[in-house]
């Protein structure tokens, strides 16, 4: 890593605001992590008091990503990953799943939260054969993301672009689609796009809890209809079963019948 802004030491110099709940820390709390503050636990508990199912959504989202990466490595032969909006490190991070299956895999994480960056050392632990890097950048700055990621990834080779629970932070749907398209445009044929986000029109109690969360002072997260989430894959070849509740995307053989949750996702190949 050559960009000083990506180092944990640089991140430690940035101010972490512990007076306002933060989505990455709340998500970490719901996943059972410890990298959060009382304000995040309070916001997380207030949310679960209205909608306890958010914990299932959070954990199902992480399991969906793990199954995506497993497919990408084992069946699609992907060895490069650009994970934008990765959040705080928990179990089964992208590089852990990918490098366990293919140690030569190369992963670039992108986030702009000081606390996330302060934990970059945990994420930067890579297999000897592969590489892992971290970029301090905002999802709304795809040109910076691509420029710095190119120091670690070879964009002449197929790459998986992962946008997990990040596009909901971009309020305007057209802008969110433009960001995804700009990032994907830099990747060659045979690359993949993985997207999952909270979905509208599935669970009104979830929507009520999300509205209250957005009004709390935390950075808003915008739920989208299934059609809007599906639109991120326009022009791509969706992997079966398409855009579905994350619990229903290629569940593990022998697992219980997956429930429907208000979190949809899919994986698609760039022709």
């Amino acid at each position: 890593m050559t960009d000083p802004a990506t180092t944990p030491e640089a991140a430690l110099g940035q101010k972490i605001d512990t007076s306002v709940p933060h989505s990455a820390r709340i998500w970490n709390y719901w996943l059972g992590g410890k990298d959060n503050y009382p304000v995040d636990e309070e916001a997380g508990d207030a949310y679960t008091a209205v909608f306890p199912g958010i914990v299932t959504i959070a954990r199902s989202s992480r399991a969906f990503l793990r199954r995506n990466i497993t497919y990408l490595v084992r069946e699609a032969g992907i060895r490069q990953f650009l994970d934008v909006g990765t959040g705080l490190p928990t179990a089964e991070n992208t590089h852990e799943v990918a490098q366990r299956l293919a140690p030569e895999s190369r992963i670039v994480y992108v986030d702009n939260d000081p606390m996330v960056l302060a934990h970059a050392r945990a994420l930067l632990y890579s297999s000897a054969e592969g590489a892992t890097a971290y970029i301090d950048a905002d999802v709304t700055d795809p040109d910076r993301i691509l420029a710095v990621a190119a120091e670690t990834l070879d964009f002449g080779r197929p790459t998986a672009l992962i946008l997990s629970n990040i596009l909901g932070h971009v309020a305007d749907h057209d802008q969110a689609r433009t960001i995804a398209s700009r990032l994907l445009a830099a990747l060659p044929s045979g690359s993949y796009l993985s997207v999952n986000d909270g979905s509208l029109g599935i669970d009104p109690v979830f929507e009520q809890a999300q509205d209250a969360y957005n009004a709390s002072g935390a950075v808003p997260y915008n739920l989208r209809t299934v059609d809007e989430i599906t639109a991120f894959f326009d022009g791509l070849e969706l992997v079966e079963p398409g855009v579905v509740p994350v619990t229903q995307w290629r569940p593990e053989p022998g697992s219980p019948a997956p429930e429907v949750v208000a979190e949809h996702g899919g994986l698609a190949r760039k022709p």
Side-chain angles (χ1 to χ4, degrees):
M1 284 192 353
T2 58
D3 182 356
T6 65
T7 64
E9 290 75 12
L12 288 169
Q14 301 180 47
K15 180 175 175 56
I16 297 174
D17 188 348
T18 62
S19 67
V20 177
H22 189 279
S23 60
R25 301 193 304 255
I26 295 170
W27 198 254
N28 174 268
Y29 177 55
W30 287 332
L31 287 173
K34 304 297 183 184
D35 296 316
N36 44 73
Y37 294 97
V39 67
D40 307 306
E41 295 181 12
E42 291 169 10
D45 289 343
Y47 199 118
T48 56
V50 177
F51 180 61
I54 189 61
V55 175
T56 298
I57 286 179
R59 296 179 182 181
S60 297
S61 172
R62 176 58 58 135
F64 164 83
L65 180 58
R66 174 178 50 77
R67 296 195 302 274
N68 264 214
I69 297 166
T70 300
Y71 172 90
L72 288 164
V73 174
R74 285 182 172 167
E75 301 189 42
I78 296 297
R79 297 294 185 269
Q80 298 193 130
F81 298 82
L82 178 58
D83 187 342
V84 181
T86 185
L88 286 159
T90 54
E92 298 290 87
N93 298 293
T94 296
H95 75 288
E96 292 172 319
V97 178
Q99 292 184 344
R100 182 167 62 239
L101 299 171
E104 71 275 21
S105 297
R106 304 176 74 83
I107 296 91
V108 170
Y109 292 104
V110 181
D111 212 301
N112 71 332
D113 178 72
M115 187 166 177
V116 174
L117 296 172
H119 286 78
R121 186 174 284 111
L123 286 174
L124 289 171
Y125 183 78
S126 173
S127 65
E129 302 92 332
T132 310
Y134 212 105
I135 300 173
D136 178 5
D138 192 278
V139 66
T140 59
D141 192 358
D143 290 337
R144 169 173 166 76
I145 291 171
L146 292 168
V148 184
E151 297 174 9
T152 301
L153 305 178
D154 176 2
F155 288 146
R157 298 172 52 206
T159 301
L161 171 62
I162 297 170
L163 299 169
S164 179
N165 289 112
I166 183 64
L167 293 175
H169 289 297
V170 182
D172 184 82
H173 184 237
D174 288 339
Q175 182 187 9
R177 289 187 64 185
T178 297
I179 290 167
S181 296
R182 172 70 187 93
L183 291 168
L184 198 62
L187 309 182
S189 173
S191 294
Y192 283 78
L193 172 64
S194 171
V195 173
N196 62 284
D197 268 306
S199 43
L200 272 173
I202 307 298
D203 190 329
V205 181
F206 177 34
E207 293 166 24
Q208 176 187 349
Q210 190 60 45
D211 287 343
Y213 172 86
N214 289 348
S216 71
V219 177
Y221 180 86
N222 304 277
L223 305 180
R224 292 202 161 96
T225 67
V226 177
D227 285 345
E228 287 175 326
I229 294 171
T230 303
F232 290 120
F233 299 103
D234 284 353
L236 306 178
E237 301 166 349
L238 275 165
V239 174
E240 290 294 333
V243 177
V244 294
V246 291
T247 48
Q248 297 182 3
W249 196 91
R250 296 178 173 248
E252 302 287 353
S255 60
E259 62 182 298
V260 174
V261 296
E263 170 92 7
H264 281 65
L267 178 69
R269 181 182 183 275
K270 180 177 179 178

